[in-house]
Amino acid sequence: QRCPDTSLKHKQAREILQTQNPNMNEGNPNSPKGLEDLERRFVAFNGGVGQEQLKWLRNTLQDARELGQHVIVLSHNPIHPESSNPVCLIWNFQEVLDILRLYNDVVVASFSGHAHKGGYCRDEESGIHFRVVEAALENRPEKTYAMVDVYTDSR
């Protein structure tokens, strides 16, 4: 856990929550109470993608494009608002989604977790698949795994 007194990232996250979630000031930063629709993502058990990570993502996807590669993006939190409950989304999902859409010739799919019930959508604008994998605790023990088959003949 980051030190709340010295971590710049912790300070930035706290500032975001203080401006976006009134429950933060009431001592309950994990509550989406009073937040509507996509605003519900601004809870303390979520987080955002920092500028350094966004730059890395753009650079990595550009490198993949130049090499003629295809990419599957993995993240803890869901990126697409239609792939799961809004309370589980990355705070700055739109910034991340905009980058992925710019590289829709490279990005085939995005897999994430965090939203225990899982979910799926295919982004209409880019054709990218967004799959949220169900949490192990939401499944019977004999079904707590997933397999992905990747083929080179289609997207």
Side-chain angles (χ1 to χ4, degrees):
Q1 183 174 1
R2 299 196 184 281
C3 176
D5 298 323
T6 60
S7 169
L8 178 60
K9 290 179 182 178
H10 191 278
K11 180 183 177 196
Q12 291 169 334
R14 197 170 52 244
E15 288 172 357
I16 289 168
L17 286 175
Q18 286 172 337
T19 61
Q20 299 295 330
N21 186 338
N23 302 303
M24 176 73 173
N25 299 324
E26 296 174 13
N28 196 2
N30 281 321
S31 174
K33 182 180 176 185
L35 300 174
E36 299 291 327
D37 302 318
L38 294 177
E39 292 175 351
R40 295 174 57 79
R41 70 188 186 277
F42 291 107
V43 289
F45 58 78
N46 287 340
V49 179
Q51 291 305 309
E52 186 175 333
Q53 290 175 304
L54 291 171
K55 180 180 176 183
W56 173 88
L57 179 62
R58 278 189 294 273
N59 291 341
T60 301
L61 294 176
Q62 182 61 39
D63 290 347
R65 176 180 279 161
E66 291 169 8
L67 293 169
Q69 297 174 333
H70 289 111
V71 171
I72 296 174
V73 175
L74 304 176
S75 63
H76 179 79
N77 289 69
I79 296 170
H80 200 291
E82 294 175 21
S83 68
S84 73
N85 187 320
V87 79
C88 295
L89 284 173
I90 291 175
W91 293 340
N92 58 333
F93 76 88
Q94 192 63 60
E95 281 184 274
V96 178
L97 188 55
D98 288 346
I99 292 170
L100 299 184
R101 285 174 172 162
L102 286 173
Y103 291 92
N104 68 337
D105 58 317
V106 174
V107 179
V108 177
S110 169
F111 289 92
S112 64
H114 193 60
H116 289 199
K117 301 244 184 245
Y120 169 81
C121 78
R122 185 169 187 194
D123 184 50
E124 291 183 21
E125 183 177 325
S126 66
I128 298 171
H129 300 270
F130 290 84
R131 177 67 168 100
V132 181
V133 180
E134 293 81 358
L137 62 92
E138 299 288 344
N139 290 297
R140 297 188 319 261
E142 66 274 10
K143 291 194 168 208
T144 56
Y145 65 90
M147 293 176 58
V148 177
D149 294 319
V150 180
Y151 300 94
T152 59
D153 60 345
S154 67
R155 290 181 44 98

